[in-house]
Amino acid sequence: MSNNLIEMDKRHFIHPTSSIQQQQKNGAKVIMEEGDGIYLKDITGKWYLDAVSSLWNVNIGHGREELAKAAAEQMKKMAFSSAFSTFSHEPAIRLAEKIASLTPEGLNAVFFTSGGSESNDSAVKLVRHYWKIQNRSERRKIISLKRGYHGVAAASTSVTGIPEFWGMAGHMMTDFIHVDTHYNSTTDQAIASLRQAIEESGPETVAAFFAEPIQGAGGVLIPPDDYFPRIRALCDDYGILFVADEVITGFGRTGKMFGIENWDVIPDVMTFAKGVTSGYFPLGGVVVSETIHNVFKEKSLGTLFHGFTYSGHPTGAAVALKNIEIMEQEQLVENSRLMGNRLLLGLKKVKESLEIVGDVRFVGLLGAVELVEEPVSNKRFAQDQHVTLKAIEALHERGVICRGVTYDNTDIICIAPPLIINQEQVDQLVEGVYEAILKVQQQLGIKR
């Protein structure tokens, strides 16, 4: 059975964000067949602790029958109906209202998509449309952060500040600028980089600034406390829209419903996906401020020629509503905060016990452990030592799934377990991380 699946996989399945040659040489690394809570089981019967919520998205955990029931009930009633040409249906209407009630003040109108890449692509088009209908078509440029990740559609690839994603098919679009992030930098330096880009571009040509509240795929990069308040002020000074990409940080991941709330900042536009359905159905969206929506209502004449077949999918909306209901009933946002604190304390003890652990950082249940050759000086390992690869493999052997980040010669283990994780499971995860890093440290010949 497993050999047949491996061969079929190699012959017919082109994997996303994977090495095609590695797949053809070794087959699928693992073939999963079952999920239960924070765990996944493969076809050999081995269980894994899913310490990155699969792709930062299974917030309420695997195997929730409530979501299967919500999807089935909606499918029986009406699986799909288009939202084009002002057609509508109750699930999308109620979900839009619910999301508006959860987002920061003033963010009240929702455009639905099928996922994060589409959400950020849509945000680019919507902010450009906002300026265009006000006779400010010159405001087209989008500024975002180096190491930022915003998706792989045409515009969202260009907003992404990780060059590896441009190389696959070449840079897709023009009028995208990437500035220094706050990682290994001061707020003053990061703000100066953004200000310089705005001035050199001409403020009158800049449409929006995009940023993740915490840069996820870039290595879980957490900003200084004063960073986003100063970003908000700078955008206001130049009349630039601020777009918060909440695809990873939204729906409880950081111990707040949305990540930007950790800094008491209100963006003009917010994108979301992943945790809105906990991965049980593809769904995303863009939330715009009342100010932007009012401009659309007044000046967006005729048809808005942008939309996806599955924008506002009724089954997806029904699943999202049930998912959010469960999050509220089980107080998972607060659990994210509490268990994130416990996880941070446990991993700081790991840092004290091992020689190659550098920065350990968390906000809620979104965090990272950075591996370095010398923690005091933050000296990094040589790339050819493949430290992250060794660590991720050692974790895999111990039944723990994490994600590694190696951009710009960094060695980062990303950790983001489902929000339902409990104290005992946090301790199990900490122990697995400790044992895996200890093995790598021993392989490198480093002794305490």
Side-chain angles (χ1 to χ4, degrees):
M1 173 65 172
S2 61
N3 287 338
N4 288 340
L5 286 174
I6 289 170
E7 289 306 313
M8 283 190 283
D9 180 275
K10 291 165 67 173
R11 185 181 295 257
H12 300 295
F13 186 8
I14 301 175
H15 286 244
T17 315
S18 301
S19 167
I20 294 175
Q21 291 185 344
Q22 180 180 325
Q23 175 203 11
Q24 293 304 312
K25 180 180 178 182
N26 301 322
K29 182 176 182 63
V30 61
I31 300 176
M32 296 299 185
E33 71 170 5
E34 184 179 343
D36 183 12
I38 70 165
Y39 301 99
L40 288 167
K41 186 176 74 171
D42 70 17
I43 58 174
T44 72
K46 180 176 179 178
W47 284 93
Y48 299 83
L49 194 161
D50 185 4
V52 73
S53 299
S54 289
L55 270 179
W56 327 84
N57 62 336
V58 188
N59 287 13
I60 69 165
H62 300 280
R64 299 297 296 250
E65 292 184 6
E66 305 99 307
L67 295 195
K69 183 179 179 181
E73 289 178 351
Q74 183 59 48
M75 286 179 178
K76 290 176 184 177
K77 184 177 181 180
M78 182 183 70
F80 178 74
S81 176
S82 169
F84 282 29
S85 304
T86 74
F87 277 53
S88 199
H89 49 76
E90 184 174 353
I93 294 169
R94 293 199 178 278
L95 179 60
E97 189 277 334
K98 182 62 179 179
I99 289 173
S101 75
L102 297 173
T103 50
E105 183 179 358
L107 291 162
N108 291 326
V110 184
F111 177 91
F112 287 114
T113 71
S114 303
S117 292
E118 286 184 0
S119 295
N120 285 311
D121 236 54
S122 298
V124 170
K125 295 178 75 173
L126 289 171
V127 299
R128 286 177 169 174
H129 181 65
Y130 169 78
W131 292 114
K132 182 176 183 291
I133 60 179
Q134 298 181 88
N135 297 316
R136 299 296 304 276
S137 296
E138 71 278 7
R139 278 193 178 265
R140 286 185 49 81
K141 293 178 183 175
I142 305 295
I143 301 178
S144 57
L145 296 175
K146 296 175 182 176
R147 294 185 75 107
Y149 180 80
H150 301 280
V152 293
S156 51
T157 295
S158 298
V159 181
T160 290
I162 301 172
E164 285 82 347
F165 286 94
W166 308 334
M168 179 258 176
H171 206 296
M172 305 300 291
M173 301 178 71
T174 59
D175 291 331
F176 291 84
I177 301 163
H178 302 94
V179 299
D180 293 339
T181 186
H182 44 73
Y183 178 58
N184 289 338
S185 181
T186 66
T187 302
D188 284 345
Q189 291 168 331
I191 294 294
S193 179
L194 175 56
R195 187 184 297 276
Q196 180 180 349
I198 294 170
E199 290 288 351
E200 290 179 351
S201 299
E204 71 283 354
T205 70
V206 179
F209 171 73
F210 277 64
E212 302 156 272
I214 296 170
Q215 291 179 281
V220 188
L221 311 181
I222 300 169
D225 288 341
D226 60 342
Y227 178 75
F228 277 114
R230 291 179 62 181
I231 286 290
R232 177 71 272 183
L234 187 63
C235 288
D236 289 342
D237 287 346
Y238 287 103
I240 295 167
L241 298 178
F242 170 36
V243 181
D245 178 348
E246 295 272 3
V247 171
I248 287 176
T249 52
F251 297 96
R253 174 55 57 192
T254 68
K256 299 279 189 179
M257 183 57 75
F258 294 98
I260 199 66
E261 293 177 302
N262 287 283
W263 295 278
D264 295 321
V265 167
I266 299 177
D268 302 291
V269 178
M270 177 183 288
T271 59
F272 67 88
K274 294 189 184 290
V276 68
T277 62
S278 289
Y280 282 68
F281 200 95
L283 183 74
V286 184
V287 194
V288 302
S289 69
E290 199 71 30
T291 298
I292 293 173
H293 194 208
N294 285 338
V295 171
F296 287 168
K297 288 187 284 187
E298 179 185 352
K299 297 188 176 183
S300 184
L301 305 179
T303 300
L304 179 71
F305 280 99
H306 180 67
F308 306 98
T309 299
Y310 299 127
S311 291
H313 196 297
T315 302
V319 169
L321 285 164
K322 178 57 69 172
N323 176 68
I324 295 169
E325 178 186 309
I326 290 169
M327 290 185 63
E328 292 177 332
Q329 288 177 345
E330 298 183 6
Q331 299 182 322
L332 294 184
V333 178
E334 175 66 3
N335 194 64
S336 175
R337 185 184 69 82
L338 294 173
M339 293 303 101
N341 289 340
R342 185 180 183 91
L343 187 51
L344 177 60
L345 289 173
L347 291 173
K348 282 185 174 180
K349 291 180 181 178
V350 170
K351 173 181 169 66
E352 294 170 1
S353 302
L354 297 172
E355 290 294 301
I356 65 170
V357 178
D359 190 31
V360 176
R361 49 186 181 265
F362 271 82
V363 178
L365 285 171
L366 179 61
V369 174
E370 195 151 353
L371 304 181
V372 291
E373 187 172 353
E374 172 49 59
V376 175
S377 65
N378 204 36
K379 179 183 177 183
R380 295 171 180 170
F381 288 102
Q383 283 184 299
D384 61 7
Q385 291 184 279
H386 304 296
V387 172
T388 300
L389 179 64
K390 292 174 181 175
I392 296 301
E393 185 57 33
L395 283 160
H396 188 83
E397 291 170 359
R398 286 158 179 76
V400 178
I401 300 171
C402 288
R403 179 167 180 167
V405 170
T406 59
Y407 309 123
D408 299 327
N409 194 33
T410 53
D411 289 292
I412 300 171
I413 302 170
C414 302
I415 300 172
L419 309 189
I420 60 169
I421 195 169
N422 61 36
Q423 293 184 8
E424 292 75 20
Q425 292 165 339
V426 166
D427 296 343
Q428 177 191 355
L429 174 54
V430 170
E431 182 179 0
V433 171
Y434 169 77
E435 291 177 352
I437 298 175
L438 176 61
K439 178 179 179 179
V440 173
Q441 184 172 291
Q442 292 170 339
Q443 289 174 332
L444 294 168
I446 299 172
K447 299 180 180 179
R448 187 168 177 81

